[in-house]
Amino acid sequence: MRTNTKTHTDSSSGIQRSKLEKLFEEELKDMYWAEKALTKAIPKMIKKSTSEELAKALQDHLAQTEEHVSRLEEVFHILEKEPKEKKCEAMHGLIKEAEQIINESEEGVMRDAGIISAAQKVEHYEIASYGTLRTFANTLGIQDAANVLQRTLDEEKAADDKLSEIAESEINIEASEE
């Protein structure tokens, strides 16, 4: 693995670095699967949305999600590894829950409120995951990867903020009146 800082010379640090590198790579595989799964799940949310503002926000985030897949491939390249997926059980569960919410919610603002709820759970998971990956990259001295991961983390936070804004200014108010 290519790093931008000196490697530790004592054996205990070398072992620690090796274990952290392995964990970093496993978590990258996990997020790679998660982002690819979201490129299939978000269109379903868009289709079931009735709010134009929500549909547009989800459409914008779908485009970002496709970019996130490319960025993860870039991080694998920085590590001189082939991009590989490992099923993300957490994201699988969040997507399954989103589908359940959509299927069980009444069409209209109630479903839109449910979509926002499910999407924000996804965003919070991604924020936690990308924050951890960025920190691992910084700890390992892989600044190029940390920078790529930070851009994605910033976008995930912005997507969450946008969903909150839509919920608070429109959807939740209308849903509370039903």
Side-chain angles (χ1 to χ4, degrees):
M1 178 184 301
R2 187 173 65 91
T3 60
N4 295 339
T5 60
K6 293 187 278 184
T7 56
H8 298 288
T9 54
D10 68 84
S11 61
S12 65
S13 295
I15 291 169
Q16 289 295 338
R17 174 174 290 274
S18 175
K19 288 179 183 177
L20 186 59
E21 283 176 355
K22 182 167 177 37
L23 179 60
F24 180 51
E25 289 173 26
E26 290 301 309
E27 293 299 309
L28 281 172
K29 291 174 188 176
D30 196 68
M31 283 309 294
Y32 190 51
W33 185 95
E35 293 288 13
K36 286 180 141 189
L38 286 171
T39 64
K40 296 175 185 126
I42 294 172
K44 295 174 187 174
M45 292 179 176
I46 295 167
K47 185 176 181 181
K48 295 292 186 171
S49 299
T50 58
S51 161
E52 287 182 30
E53 188 177 10
L54 175 57
K56 171 138 179 32
L58 291 170
Q59 188 65 47
D60 292 345
H61 196 59
L62 175 59
Q64 285 182 332
T65 300
E66 291 165 350
E67 178 64 25
H68 298 167
V69 171
S70 297
R71 284 193 196 141
L72 287 167
E73 290 168 352
E74 181 181 348
V75 172
F76 279 110
H77 178 73
I78 290 167
L79 300 177
E80 299 175 354
K81 302 282 182 184
E82 282 296 314
K84 289 184 182 169
E85 300 175 33
K86 178 182 81 176
K87 184 175 182 181
C88 177
E89 294 296 340
M91 187 59 72
H92 176 72
L94 289 169
I95 290 170
K96 204 170 171 184
E97 182 178 337
E99 290 170 352
Q100 183 178 2
I101 288 170
I102 290 168
N103 292 333
E104 294 176 1
S105 297
E106 189 177 310
E107 185 176 350
V109 292
M110 289 307 298
R111 184 177 291 157
D112 289 345
I115 290 169
I116 291 171
S117 171
Q120 285 195 291
K121 288 178 184 180
V122 166
E123 292 308 321
H124 291 194
Y125 179 77
E126 289 180 303
I127 290 166
S129 296
Y130 281 109
T132 298
L133 286 169
R134 187 247 2 247
T135 300
F136 286 170
N138 278 330
T139 300
L140 292 166
I142 312 167
Q143 197 57 50
D144 293 346
N147 293 341
V148 170
L149 295 163
Q150 182 64 53
R151 284 197 317 266
T152 302
L153 176 59
D154 292 343
E155 288 175 0
E156 299 295 4
K157 288 178 180 179
D160 181 55
D161 289 344
K162 181 66 176 172
L163 289 167
S164 289
E165 179 186 308
I166 294 168
E168 293 167 4
S169 70
E170 174 189 348
I171 304 295
N172 289 354
I173 294 166
E174 290 178 35
S176 72
E177 295 170 355
E178 283 194 355

